[in-house]
Amino acid sequence: GQTQTGNGITATIESIIVDQKQVVVYFTLDSEVYDHLSATLDARLPDGEDAKATIVSGMPYVENGELLSATINFIEGASVPDRLRVTLYIWSMDERGDLVAADLFNPEFTLDIEPQLAEQGRTVTVNRSLDLGGQRFTLTQVETYPTHIRLNLKADPDNRLKLYHLEFYLELSDGTRLKPGSSGGISATGDGENLSLYAESNYFYDAGGMKLVITGAAFLDKNAEPVWVDLTTGDHDPIPFDGRIDSIKRTDTGWELQIVARECQGVHGGVFS
């Protein structure tokens, strides 16, 4: 229910969902001056220090006043604090979803989080070995929260390759399947050596156990070198695959690189991270 108004825009924090590891913030943006407002969110501790969180805030094309959300996901070693300072960075877009005007209004809110809400969730120690095509891992723990599940994997230091993506689902005893990825849009965090995979929550199911079913895995060479690109001149290191950098352009919010590459069979998505 916190509201701030500036530059013809009213921003309201409507509600939050809280557990030990995530805060999902629901907010609205309204204006008679600007159309189709959206925002990204930044979260810090009250003193301005890093909250040690990954933040996912989308750019949906919605009418002013409709509900928007952002997920503040606390990484390993960090938990939800009792106070959190969040800032909204608001912009407007046109009917195609393209940016019209940025930095319109940046309201800051302080969220007081009740301790009992931030205690929701439990952790089960598993310590089961997994062999994925000769690359070995240990499933160390499973964490269950109202918003999501985390499967914590630790890679064997002798592995030649680094885990890039794991295809899986979780199955409850009654046959219910829980899909990978959290409601906030986060699929994994970590560095490939210690990895947390996210899935739909079983928190509200009457389930005594779960089955992990792995259907595929993708790996990267541990020794793969980065490709350095000069954004102003377009000069770059040799590209280690069949492809090219097609264009580089400056935008209002950063830089955009378009890369054309031959897609490997069975592999979809970006060729760089």
Side-chain angles (χ1 to χ4, degrees), residues 42-219:
D42 181 49
R44 295 191 170 272
L45 300 181
D47 61 4
E49 284 200 23
D50 185 359
K52 296 182 180 178
T54 299
I55 301 170
V56 176
S57 44
M59 299 190 303
Y61 180 80
V62 301
E63 299 296 331
N64 287 348
E66 291 186 5
L67 205 60
L68 296 158
S69 70
T71 299
I72 306 167
N73 177 74
F74 291 82
I75 61 177
E76 188 175 354
S79 296
V80 174
D82 56 5
R83 299 192 91 200
L84 199 59
R85 193 173 83 191
V86 301
T87 304
L88 295 176
Y89 295 90
I90 301 171
W91 71 86
S92 68
M93 62 180 76
D94 61 22
E95 293 181 356
R96 296 180 301 175
D98 293 332
L99 181 70
V100 173
D103 294 326
L104 295 176
F105 181 38
N106 301 330
E108 186 178 286
F109 301 88
T110 298
L111 306 181
D112 291 300
I113 299 169
E114 298 174 21
Q116 66 267 28
L117 295 178
E119 293 170 1
Q120 296 184 99
R122 68 190 187 107
T123 299
V124 176
T125 299
V126 181
N127 286 332
R128 291 281 297 274
S129 295
L130 303 174
D131 187 319
L132 304 177
Q135 309 304 305
R136 300 190 63 82
F137 297 84
T138 300
L139 176 60
T140 57
Q141 293 176 324
V142 175
E143 303 174 46
T144 296
Y145 304 104
T147 52
H148 66 291
I149 288 174
R150 295 189 191 196
L151 306 170
N152 297 324
L153 291 182
K154 185 175 182 63
D156 188 307
D158 293 331
N159 285 351
R160 293 184 305 102
L161 304 173
K162 182 169 68 173
L163 183 62
Y164 175 67
H165 177 69
L166 193 71
E167 295 178 4
F168 71 94
Y169 62 86
L170 295 168
E171 187 172 289
L172 305 183
S173 54
D174 65 359
T176 299
R177 287 190 179 186
L178 305 176
K179 297 178 183 177
S182 72
S183 58
I186 298 171
S187 58
T189 56
D191 56 8
E193 304 299 319
N194 294 285
L195 198 64
S196 293
L197 303 169
Y198 292 59
E200 290 180 319
S201 178
N202 68 331
Y203 196 82
F204 301 102
Y205 288 93
D206 182 18
M210 295 182 292
K211 180 167 65 175
L212 169 63
V213 181
I214 297 171
T215 58
F219 295 92

